[in-house]
Amino acid sequence: MKSMEKIVSLCKRRGFLFQSSEIYGGIQGFWDYGPLGVELKRNVKEAWWQDMIAGHNELVAPNDAPGTFEMVGLDCTIIMHPQVWKCSGHFDLFHDHMVDCRESKKRYRFDQIRGRWVEYQDKKIFVATMAEQEQEFDEVRRRGMKYFKLRSKDAEKLSVEDLSITIDKLDDTTQVLAPDAKTLDTLTEPREYNLMFKTTVGALGGEDDYTFLRPETAQGIFVNFKNVLDSSRVSLPFGIGQIGKSFRNEITPRNFTFRSREFEQMEIEFFCPPDQSHAWYGYWRDRRLAWYKSLGLSDESLIMREHHKDELAHYSVGTADIEYAFPFLPEGEYGELEGIAHRGDFDLRSHMEGKLDPKTEPMTVELGENGKPKYRGSGKDLSYRDEATNEKYVPHVIEPSAGADRGVLAFLCEAYTEDEAPDENGNMQTRVVMKLHPRLAPIKAAIFPLVKKDGMPEVAQAIYGTLKKQFNVFYDEKGAVGRRYRRQDEAGTPFCITVDTQTMTDQTVTIRDRDTLEQSRVKIDDLTEVLTRRINV
């Protein structure tokens, strides 16, 4: 199993990711992308945009699609009218269940506190921890020994169960030793905690000026549905894509960038006739899973998990999660990478009529104590009229919602590899290599002169200048060429181009493949074409 500790270390050492505000001790749940990380994240987003939006051919039905469809894009604001979040359900329903520790005064998300049962002399307690998975067993044992006042020589008298579970799976918490507590039964009953960041618009900052940083990008698409329909001449079925920042006030952000307070989403809202929605739901599920595999995530690391009826959001007709076996999770467990939701007509109807009541079936507008809509909708007609049949209806929506940051993290985890490669003297040495797909790799190629003489640097610099116009490439002439190779392997660079003695006579260079270590000779004039072909495999 891959070590999350090594991956995190490499990310900082090589400039993929840094803790935000690190010189001031950092701020939990916020991360900065370094020189390599920003390129990797841009490449993930650009691959998504090209494959889902810009490169889509609306004249031809893709394989396994129910038919042809159109795709367009949007870029909506982070701050929106506060009524958007009331009608969408976020104001009332967007929450996690939290527990407080009466002893330590700390707050935790109920379903994130893990632990194990510990037993000593017929006394059994549940030791909870927020430690990473790799340190969990040792941390539980250490705290169990401390609770029972055992010395190191008595460690074998303490029994720690192998099974790790979250405390929301327990029947009661009276025997739980909370993560930062010294006594049992210090956790409160779980209660709801709204995850939206509140802010104010305008100078006065009164009650009427409150609004929120968006917790998702989807609502900006829904409130612009009519604008897109009227301005773009699109017809159903069609999708609207958006990439943008979202904010959630997570109480216990953890597991590196997996759960952050500021993150970026890549979302599609796909509008279709109600009677076609189940077919389109199946299409988008399969297509999104195939996309991750096409960019290097392995079959063994990915699963598609359909939500049980009890898990479904109030608006959802059906939801499936694409999940990845992140190294920080116990073996056999998976974390959400992307959700594909069949949202029905909930969102468009809510913004037309007012917030719908999830307790009603079919859903009707939720009423307040005065018998009027609790949160009034826009009153705008967001239905669609089919010009061919003259039928009018509220479209159903399929939503593939991906996290750009979680995608980057998954690609980093998948890419991290340790193997052996020869050094400059031909001796086999352990190397760390990031086997990123060439489309995603931050640096596409590195250009080396074999030595800093005999005109080789000048030729290498000329090649660098030519390739730099189309690719993000790197020039390096410092150190033995074997060390330069290994530096690029750690950065995930798929190809290294070396100018050597033969170059000076026949205008060819060697291209070394990062993964196979094979080297082949290519004419300098053919480099752009060769790189383009190899990157877009």
Side-chain angles (χ1 to χ4, degrees):
M1 188 173 179
K2 295 184 180 183
S3 165
M4 199 65 208
E5 188 175 342
K6 289 183 177 180
I7 294 171
V8 172
S9 175
L10 179 136
C11 283
K12 181 176 182 182
R13 184 175 73 251
R14 293 311 310 264
F16 282 100
L17 281 152
F18 307 126
Q19 176 76 53
S20 177
S21 313
E22 185 176 325
I23 64 171
Y24 290 102
I27 178 169
Q28 193 177 18
F30 297 91
W31 297 89
D32 298 333
Y33 286 82
L36 289 182
V38 71
E39 294 291 338
L40 173 58
K41 188 177 180 181
R42 281 189 58 201
N43 291 343
V44 170
K45 293 188 294 183
E46 287 174 6
W48 183 91
W49 190 265
Q50 176 63 28
D51 295 347
M52 299 297 116
I53 314 296
H56 174 68
N57 183 353
E58 71 278 8
L59 305 178
V60 179
N63 292 336
D64 301 321
T68 59
F69 59 94
E70 298 178 78
M71 296 294 294
V72 296
L74 273 182
D75 186 5
C76 305
T77 59
I78 288 171
I79 294 176
M80 302 170 69
H81 194 289
Q83 197 69 9
V84 169
W85 308 113
K86 293 177 179 179
C87 288
S88 70
H90 287 82
F91 187 78
D92 286 344
L93 301 171
F94 192 63
H95 58 256
D96 279 335
H97 285 92
M98 313 303 300
V99 291
D100 291 315
C101 178
R102 290 182 288 265
E103 180 184 319
S104 68
K105 309 304 180 187
K106 291 189 177 182
R107 179 173 291 167
Y108 311 97
R109 184 168 145 176
F110 191 45
D111 62 351
Q112 285 186 352
I113 307 176
R114 304 190 70 88
R116 301 168 190 245
W117 286 103
V118 173
E119 188 172 4
Y120 173 69
Q121 291 184 346
D122 299 327
K123 173 70 172 175
K124 197 172 184 179
I125 66 170
F126 187 89
V127 179
T129 178
M130 298 299 293
E132 300 295 340
Q133 186 259 334
E134 293 172 334
Q135 290 85 40
E136 182 184 303
F137 185 89
D138 291 338
E139 174 68 5
V140 168
R141 176 176 287 279
R142 182 190 68 78
R143 296 190 64 232
M145 290 181 62
K146 188 173 182 179
Y147 176 83
F148 288 114
K149 298 180 172 58
L150 298 177
R151 297 182 180 181
S152 299
K153 64 179 182 179
D154 299 319
E156 293 183 359
K157 298 178 181 178
L158 187 78
S159 173
V160 181
E161 286 193 2
D162 291 333
L163 181 63
S164 169
I165 58 174
T166 51
I167 63 169
D168 59 317
K169 304 293 193 303
L170 302 177
D171 293 331
D172 71 85
T173 60
T174 56
Q175 297 304 305
V176 170
L177 182 66
D180 300 283
K182 297 177 181 178
T183 56
L184 301 178
D185 195 19
T186 61
L187 295 176
T188 62
E189 287 294 316
R191 66 182 188 278
E192 297 174 355
Y193 179 87
N194 195 286
L195 297 176
M196 289 195 292
F197 277 103
K198 185 182 286 188
T199 188
T200 56
V201 176
L204 297 179
E207 188 70 30
D208 293 338
D209 299 318
Y210 285 144
T211 187
F212 305 92
L213 303 185
R214 67 182 180 194
E216 64 174 29
T217 59
Q219 297 306 317
I221 297 176
F222 294 128
V223 299
N224 275 295
F225 169 73
K226 197 70 173 175
N227 288 333
V228 173
L229 199 62
D230 293 343
S231 64
S232 303
R233 298 179 60 227
V234 291
S235 58
L236 262 63
F238 73 93
I240 301 175
Q242 178 171 208
I243 299 175
K245 292 272 191 177
S246 295
F247 304 83
R248 297 183 183 179
N249 194 12
E250 299 280 357
I251 296 301
T252 53
R254 60 193 304 235
N255 293 329
F256 203 21
T257 59
F258 181 78
R259 191 172 297 281
S260 304
R261 289 175 169 136
E262 177 181 339
F263 55 96
E264 206 156 1
Q265 290 180 287
M266 308 180 294
E267 287 197 303
I268 294 169
E269 304 304 329
F270 187 81
F271 302 92
C272 59
D275 60 355
Q276 298 177 15
S277 59
H278 286 287
W280 284 111
Y281 172 60
Y283 166 73
W284 280 108
R285 279 185 41 198
D286 296 343
R287 183 175 177 188
R288 291 302 303 143
L289 180 62
W291 186 78
Y292 288 105
K293 292 180 180 180
S294 73
L295 291 174
L297 297 190
S298 65
D299 285 332
E300 297 76 20
S301 299
L302 287 168
I303 62 169
M304 176 75 77
R305 187 181 68 85
E306 280 282 356
H307 282 210
H308 188 270
K309 187 176 181 179
D310 294 341
E311 292 182 87
L312 294 177
H314 58 282
Y315 56 77
S316 181
V317 178
T319 297
D321 285 345
I322 298 172
E323 297 184 338
Y324 179 76
F326 289 98
F328 52 75
L329 296 171
E331 191 169 357
E333 291 192 16
Y334 297 79
E336 182 186 347
L337 189 57
E338 174 167 346
I340 299 92
H342 185 322
R343 300 178 72 117
D345 61 3
F346 171 82
D347 299 282
L348 293 180
R349 279 190 57 206
S350 291
H351 290 302
M352 286 172 62
E353 305 166 13
K355 178 180 176 289
L356 300 181
D357 187 350
K359 300 184 182 69
T360 57
E361 181 64 40
M363 281 189 281
T364 57
V365 174
E366 186 174 346
L367 303 179
E369 294 179 357
N370 59 3
K372 295 181 178 180
K374 182 178 180 181
Y375 299 122
R376 191 176 299 277
S378 67
K380 305 295 183 183
D381 184 3
L382 301 181
S383 60
Y384 175 81
R385 185 178 295 279
D386 190 318
E387 293 183 359
T389 65
N390 206 35
E391 181 186 4
K392 187 177 181 181
Y393 54 83
V394 178
H396 278 205
V397 176
I398 312 301
E399 179 193 74
S401 177
D405 303 271
R406 286 191 182 182
V408 168
L409 181 57
F411 288 122
L412 283 169
C413 292
E414 186 76 26
Y416 184 90
T417 309
E418 293 182 10
D419 62 13
E420 289 192 338
D423 62 15
E424 58 272 16
N425 299 316
N427 300 318
M428 298 301 290
Q429 300 288 338
T430 298
R431 71 163 182 163
V432 173
V433 54
M434 297 297 289
K435 294 188 176 182
L436 293 162
H437 190 286
R439 286 183 69 190
L440 304 182
I443 300 168
K444 305 304 183 189
I447 297 92
F448 307 150
L450 184 63
V451 294
K452 291 193 290 183
K453 60 182 181 179
D454 300 332
M456 294 183 200
E458 290 78 6
V459 174
Q461 289 167 17
I463 293 171
Y464 171 78
T466 299
L467 295 179
K468 190 74 171 175
K469 297 173 184 176
Q470 293 193 41
F471 311 102
N472 187 27
V473 293
F474 187 82
Y475 178 81
D476 190 1
E477 62 179 27
K478 298 176 181 177
V481 72
R483 293 195 191 95
R484 285 181 266 171
Y485 282 152
R486 285 194 291 276
R487 286 198 290 264
Q488 294 305 313
D489 291 341
E490 274 198 339
T493 306
F495 309 109
C496 289
I497 298 167
T498 303
V499 173
D500 55 19
T501 304
Q502 186 174 336
T503 306
M504 312 309 291
T505 59
D506 65 6
Q507 296 298 292
T508 65
V509 293
T510 63
I511 292 189
R512 171 192 181 264
D513 185 282
R514 175 198 64 204
D515 299 336
T516 67
L517 302 181
E518 293 179 359
Q519 298 193 31
S520 56
R521 296 206 74 86
V522 175
K523 291 182 179 179
I524 292 175
D525 292 343
D526 295 339
L527 277 173
T528 298
E529 179 186 346
V530 169
L531 279 180
T532 300
R533 185 174 66 251
R534 293 194 182 187
I535 289 168
N536 294 293
V537 292

